[in-house]
Amino acid sequence: MNAPVLTRRHFTGGLGALVVAFSLDPNAALAQERLPGSLQNNRKLDGWIRIDPDGTATIFTGKVELGQGILTALAQIAAEEMDLPLARVRMISGDTRQTPNEGQTAGSQSVENSGTALRMACAEARAILIDLAAQRFGVPADQMRVADGVVSTPDGRKIGYGELKPDLNREATAKATPKPPASHKIVGKSIARFDIPAKVTGGLAFVQDMRPVGMLHGRVIRPPRYGSKLDSADDTAAKAIPGVVAVVRDGSFLGVIAEREEQAIKAREALRKSAKWTLGPELPDPARIFEVIKSLPSKDATIGVKQGAMPSNARTFEAVYTKPYMSHGSIGPSCSVAEFKDGRMTVWTHSQGVFPLRTELVKVLKMPAAAIRCVHVEGSGCYGHNGADDVAADAALLARAMPGRPVRLQWMRDDEFGWEPYGPAMVMQAKAALGGDGKIADWQYEVWSNSHSTRPESTDGTNVLAGWYLAEPQKMGPPTSPPQPAGGGDRNAIPLYDFPNQRVVHHFVQDMPIRVSALRTLGAYANVFALESFMDELAAAAGADPIAFRLAHLKDPRARAVIEAVAKKAGWKGGEKGDGTRGRGIGFAKYKNLACYVAVVAEVEIRHGRPPCSPRGRAPRPRTGSPARDSRPSARAGRTRAVTPMRSLPASDPSPRPGFPLAGARLPCGGTRAR
Amino acid sequence: MAINLKVNGVPRSVTAEPDTPLLYVLRNDFELNGAKYGCGLSQCGACTVLIDGQAVRSCVTPISALEKSEIMTIEGLGSIDKPHVLQQAFIEEQAAQCGYCTNGMIMSAKELLDRNPRPSEPDVRAALASNLCRCGTHNRIIRAVLRAAQANGRT
């Protein structure tokens, strides 16, 4: 292990850690000089760094570990700029009492924002340490050398960071120059992640593993469907189960607390049987879901318009692609531990944003923010907005009923599949005209989608589930769509290909028949799937090789380079054809249309009579390429799907199950795309 | 009622209903974090432990059935300081994203290597086919198991 990251001390809330006030009103920051990354809204150096007397550095970040390795990456950045070995950097992350507020850990922006802030803040802290040592020894600062947290003079006098006791309670200036990449010793190296050893040995690794003294176990009883009202809940049977200590009801929110976990689960079943509900509105017919989405009111925006000459001899093509609702499908259902003690609420949570979560808890619990502390502890992978925030609110509501006793609440599998926000279903309709020269002369594209972000910290109402079901309910926050160029449902809807005529329409559908929010890349992968599939259709119609066809429509040199690189790596032969069960294909995108370029070649084999994603089916062999000039980390293929989850209209879903989607998520596989 | 179990070679006793799933006793009474609740339905494999050498889903296995059995959890394999060859291989291959499924992957792999010390890649795929990973770490996991098998062969 490189550094201790998750320890008991971390779990019990930083015992012995100095608490420093550093936050600044973001509005006040507007009048100040713009600082890089998350320094802009968290401007005090000691908000990011503390030098402990033993010479170690404690680094505070508002970004949290989701299994992406961010705490290891940020520790590398800090250690590099501080000239400290990694083992002497300690990370504290996502704690409303201790760390900067960096909003959500989402959108692949943690290195960009937190890493930038830490790089600049640590470079400045190092410069301050050097100045202090220079003053002490009476030697010019530019003659001092630093290694492993020790500053030394040319004649060999040395002093450690801990002895220098720097005062970092000051505004960052971002004037210190960080190290040039060429001199990096830790950044740029593949460092083993800090969190993995505990995860492979049964260590304390997840919020699910917390076990504070006196802990009770909670469970919640959710309605049969959205928007239902609880008329009555006879708790006689539940309370007769040994170990049950409380049944908690607030309006239509219903939960139970027991001494033992299996007792809480049995009591949940008993309450589920006795609860009487007035049912909310019926869900739309899953067989017609895409028609329903297209028929709902939408805010429409036309983007990416180009107008040029149209050839007279063009042939036109049309295709519709669809993406079903998709569960995040976290392997571990969401979990939280909450404790209400002396009028204060502490919530241990795997939320992606502890500060936004606290904002919602203020509304749900009707408690002041100062009395609520949210502390991040890892959970199962989330891939976006799953039940993490909701279960934290549930746990807090239960804990409030049992002051002084921590309550651990892990959702059951059906809670997660039934109630987490899904990745939205989408419809993508593409039309194109192919000129006599074999090139695309016109591209018309429309996408229908719900919001891809209903995360906490809503501007109105609340975005945690329990809030909507209380005796004094909050309304759901308004759906939002991030603007272009990053976009939401329209993310990556504007092609990077050069077409003389082009029109892209984003139908932002406001009503949400199914609760939805952020799932990996928002609308991008449905749009890229549609765009790239339609490119293949058009290449086939033009009798062209799919790679050559793409290159013929691309001027962007980096886009061309990544496609050429992947073709070379894969040994792509122009005009190669599959044999009916086996073949290869290419996909290309630029992440969010503003970050790294990615291309992938996938080899796919379909065995008759067996689902292509069966564990026994043969795996595709993906190859990725990134152009040599690309200075970003090599674009990882991520998961290459042999068969994508998209379906084309008219969709012929073979077996829409009753109760969809509450009966559980169907992991997407086996969809076919045909016009 | 008190039920006697043998976990990682150590006799343990727990007072719980006989139908209590082993998973909750391991986690809450014996404070063993390795086995994880994923589905409670024997579908995902996150709760896998070895019972008399067989990979078993602890979320659906009642403790009353286990009084004569040897139960092994991932904590019984090794520790951070003295990792088992499989644990070491998972660290070396960095074979985890979130790591929530890792317990089940390692325990299923342990059963495989015990009966087949030099498995082929298809053997590993088959042995892990019913352990789910949602992060997409499959290729690294397979490499880790093959690495552990190779390390076994050298000792």
Side-chain angles (χ1 to χ4, degrees):
Chain A
M1 254 186 120
N2 292 301
V5 169
L6 273 181
T7 62
R8 224 351 149 174
R9 190 157 68 142
H10 186 113
F11 279 153
T12 51
L15 290 174
L18 182 68
V19 176
V20 185
F22 56 85
S23 63
L24 200 72
D25 179 358
N27 295 323
L30 291 176
Q32 293 165 307
E33 188 179 353
R34 173 126 205 123
L35 293 178
S38 301
L39 272 184
Q40 170 66 9
N41 292 330
N42 301 274
R43 303 172 75 95
K44 286 285 186 73
L45 285 180
D46 65 359
W48 297 94
I49 310 156
R50 185 181 68 219
I51 305 295
D52 296 303
D54 64 356
T56 59
T58 302
I59 301 298
F60 302 91
T61 172
K63 300 295 184 183
V64 298
E65 184 63 60
L66 306 171
Q68 82 283 43
I70 190 61
L71 293 191
T72 307
L74 294 176
Q76 285 178 258
I77 291 171
E80 183 70 66
E81 292 302 332
M82 295 289 291
D83 270 320
L84 274 170
L86 266 177
R88 281 161 59 197
V89 171
R90 176 170 172 248
M91 300 299 295
I92 292 186
S93 85
D95 180 343
T96 56
R97 189 190 283 178
Q98 298 196 78
T99 67
N101 178 358
E102 296 188 80
Q104 302 283 353
T105 302
S108 311
Q109 292 170 70
S110 295
V111 165
E112 196 171 320
N113 290 327
S114 202
T116 297
L118 279 171
R119 186 178 186 219
M120 300 307 292
C122 289
E124 192 163 346
R126 179 179 177 273
I128 290 167
L129 288 158
I130 290 173
D131 280 344
L132 285 173
Q135 284 163 28
R136 183 172 301 208
F137 292 128
V139 174
D142 61 5
Q143 292 181 24
M144 308 299 283
R145 299 185 56 176
V146 189
D148 285 353
V150 175
V151 192
S152 49
T153 63
D155 59 5
R157 287 173 289 165
K158 294 176 192 298
I159 188 164
Y161 285 174
E163 287 175 80
L164 286 166
K165 298 186 177 61
D167 176 14
L168 300 180
N169 180 16
R170 57 167 97 175
E171 282 265 309
T173 65
K175 296 284 192 276
T177 307
K179 292 182 183 175
S183 69
H184 284 167
K185 297 191 182 87
I186 303 170
V187 166
K189 293 269 184 338
S190 185
I191 301 289
R193 265 168 50 194
F194 301 162
D195 54 317
I196 289 181
K199 290 175 175 175
V200 302
T201 54
L204 286 168
F206 300 96
V207 70
Q208 284 88 347
D209 302 334
M210 285 183 67
R211 211 174 288 113
V213 174
M215 186 177 84
L216 297 165
H217 292 272
R219 287 295 185 274
V220 284
I221 298 87
R222 296 247 111 92
R225 63 181 187 231
Y226 296 147
S228 302
K229 281 200 164 50
L230 181 59
D231 298 324
S232 69
D234 180 352
D235 59 10
T236 314
K239 283 185 164 166
I241 293 168
V244 170
V245 295
V247 172
V248 179
R249 181 178 172 185
D250 184 339
S252 297
F253 173 83
L254 185 62
V256 62
I257 308 171
E259 294 284 349
R260 295 182 59 87
E261 189 165 14
E262 67 275 11
Q263 295 164 342
I265 293 168
K266 281 182 181 171
R268 174 182 184 262
E269 282 314 302
L271 284 163
R272 210 214 278 270
K273 282 188 187 129
S274 68
K276 301 275 186 289
W277 304 87
T278 298
L279 294 181
E282 278 201 60
L283 295 173
D285 176 3
R288 293 187 52 251
I289 192 67
F290 299 113
E291 295 163 53
V292 170
I293 287 167
K294 282 184 75 174
S295 71
L296 291 170
S298 61
K299 284 185 188 169
D300 298 343
T302 302
I303 52 180
V305 174
K306 291 183 202 169
Q307 281 181 310
M310 273 292 288
S312 55
N313 57 349
R315 291 183 291 155
T316 58
F317 298 84
E318 188 173 340
V320 177
Y321 305 89
T322 62
K323 188 202 104 179
Y325 288 103
M326 216 173 280
S327 170
H328 296 84
S330 298
I331 284 288
S334 295
C335 183
S336 177
V337 177
E339 183 180 36
F340 184 60
K341 195 174 178 183
D342 303 329
R344 294 178 165 272
M345 183 70 73
T346 306
V347 178
W348 291 270
T349 169
H350 54 101
S351 167
Q352 289 177 268
V354 290
F355 286 90
L357 169 62
R358 187 177 64 172
T359 302
E360 300 296 24
L361 293 182
V362 165
K363 294 181 244 177
V364 169
L365 301 172
K366 297 191 165 45
M367 287 174 64
I372 303 173
R373 179 184 184 185
C374 297
V375 184
H376 183 265
V377 186
E378 272 188 81
S380 170
C382 62
Y383 330 111
H385 180 192
N386 68 353
D389 299 289
D390 300 320
V391 78
D394 290 350
L397 284 165
L398 296 187
R400 190 167 63 178
M402 295 298 296
R405 299 286 302 269
V407 176
R408 174 188 182 274
L409 166 58
Q410 180 162 24
W411 272 5
M412 302 300 285
R413 175 46 62 194
D414 56 306
D415 292 325
E416 189 79 32
F417 278 156
W419 291 91
E420 67 132 13
Y422 274 47
M426 291 167 65
V427 180
M428 289 75 64
Q429 184 173 300
K431 294 178 191 173
L434 200 57
D437 59 354
K439 289 185 72 174
I440 294 166
D442 182 33
W443 179 276
Q444 303 280 325
Y445 182 89
E446 292 180 73
V447 54
W448 286 260
S449 177
N450 271 148
S451 171
H452 289 254
S453 182
T454 62
R455 287 184 183 275
E457 209 153 44
S458 55
T459 50
D460 191 13
T462 181
N463 276 347
V464 286
L465 177 60
W468 311 328
Y469 291 88
L470 299 178
E472 288 178 48
Q474 303 266 341
K475 63 181 178 186
M476 190 183 198
T480 59
S481 182
Q484 285 283 328
D490 56 341
R491 178 173 288 181
N492 281 76
I494 300 175
L496 291 193
Y497 300 108
D498 299 292
F499 305 133
N501 292 284
Q502 174 179 289
R503 185 168 164 270
V504 175
V505 181
H506 175 210
H507 302 279
F508 176 29
V509 179
Q510 306 289 299
D511 294 350
M512 287 173 274
I514 306 292
R515 184 187 181 204
V516 290
S517 194
L519 170 63
R520 283 258 161 106
T521 78
L522 310 188
Y525 68 83
N527 286 317
V528 169
F529 175 81
L531 205 166
E532 290 292 284
S533 298
F534 200 41
M535 285 297 282
D536 283 337
E537 295 283 328
L538 295 167
D545 173 77
I547 287 184
F549 188 72
R550 281 168 173 78
L551 292 173
H553 290 90
L554 263 179
K555 291 194 195 82
D556 182 331
R558 289 179 66 177
R560 294 181 64 89
V562 76
I563 291 174
E564 284 164 355
V566 78
K568 193 174 170 197
K569 268 192 165 182
W572 185 273
K573 296 178 195 70
E576 69 175 47
K577 289 222 177 340
D579 64 4
T581 60
R582 186 186 178 100
R584 302 206 297 179
I586 179 165
F588 158 74
K590 181 182 183 185
Y591 179 46
K592 297 195 262 194
N593 268 1
L594 49 74
C596 68
Y597 296 78
V598 181
V600 63
V601 169
E603 180 178 351
V604 181
E605 179 179 328
I606 297 170
R607 294 188 181 179
H608 190 66
R610 183 178 287 164
C613 63
S614 150
R616 283 176 291 278
R618 182 162 305 176
R621 282 191 267 160
R623 302 265 197 283
T624 58
S626 59
R629 286 186 304 270
D630 192 342
S631 61
R632 290 173 183 277
S634 166
R636 283 190 300 171
R639 287 163 296 163
T640 305
R641 293 184 190 282
V643 175
T644 79
M646 320 298 169
R647 283 157 198 257
S648 61
L649 277 182
S652 55
D653 191 332
S655 58
R657 287 153 312 142
F660 170 87
L662 303 184
R666 178 169 21 198
L667 296 185
C669 91
T672 54
R673 83 137 309 281
R675 210 163 307 167
Chain B
M1 63 182 281
I3 291 185
N4 298 309
L5 299 169
K6 196 169 173 192
V7 182
N8 299 327
V10 180
R12 311 284 300 252
S13 180
V14 64
T15 302
E17 294 295 320
D19 64 349
T20 302
L22 174 63
L23 175 66
Y24 302 121
V25 170
L26 292 175
R27 293 186 56 81
N28 301 328
D29 295 289
F30 301 160
E31 304 196 353
L32 298 167
N33 299 312
K36 296 284 190 276
Y37 173 81
C39 63
L41 303 164
S42 188
Q43 303 262 311
C44 76
C47 67
T48 304
V49 299
L50 298 189
I51 294 177
D52 299 325
Q54 299 280 312
V56 167
R57 305 293 162 91
S58 65
C59 71
V60 293
T61 305
I63 50 173
S64 58
L66 302 171
E67 290 212 78
K68 294 193 171 68
S69 299
E70 297 270 351
I71 300 163
M72 179 180 254
T73 71
I74 199 167
E75 290 87 349
L77 292 188
S79 62
I80 285 186
D81 298 326
K82 283 185 73 175
H84 179 268
V85 65
L86 269 165
Q87 292 167 321
Q88 185 63 35
F90 270 67
I91 293 170
E92 284 169 5
E93 292 289 345
Q94 296 283 286
Q97 188 172 305
C98 81
Y100 199 90
C101 73
T102 306
N103 166 76
M105 296 291 181
I106 290 180
M107 296 313 284
S108 296
K110 161 79 172 144
E111 184 204 43
L112 168 70
L113 296 190
D114 284 350
R115 69 180 148 78
N116 178 4
R118 297 306 300 273
S120 65
E121 185 179 317
D123 293 338
V124 176
R125 286 177 183 274
L128 300 182
S130 47
N131 284 79
L132 304 184
C133 164
R134 179 64 160 152
C135 295
T137 325
H138 305 72
N139 290 336
R140 284 180 184 236
I141 290 168
I142 290 162
R143 283 207 300 272
V145 177
L146 291 171
R147 176 190 277 261
Q150 277 176 357
N152 263 342
R154 283 196 299 271
T155 52

